[in-house]
Amino acid sequence: MANAAQNVVATMVADNKSSGVDGVAANPAADEAAVSAAADAKALDKMAKVMNSKFGGAK
């Protein structure tokens, strides 16, 4: 006969399996176009900051 702790863990495992959580991915698929656009915007912002600091700032 299993002790109370073993019963609790067995119940948790069964509940976990029945919930369908095993089919959930860690990272959902990302919109590649949005990721690329965000990276481009970040690069442009960085370049603008470099140019502003090198040539006297935004006017």
Side-chain angles (χ1 to χ4, degrees):
M1 183 172 137
N3 67 29
Q6 288 173 321
N7 287 335
V8 168
V9 171
T11 302
M12 287 174 25
V13 169
D15 181 58
N16 188 36
K17 286 183 179 183
S18 69
S19 72
V21 74
D22 290 336
V24 177
N27 292 320
D31 178 2
E32 292 299 323
V35 171
S36 180
D40 289 346
K42 185 176 179 180
L44 287 172
D45 186 53
K46 184 175 181 180
M47 182 56 70
K49 287 179 182 176
V50 168
M51 297 297 285
N52 285 335
S53 69
K54 192 161 191 79
F55 299 108
K59 305 221 183 238

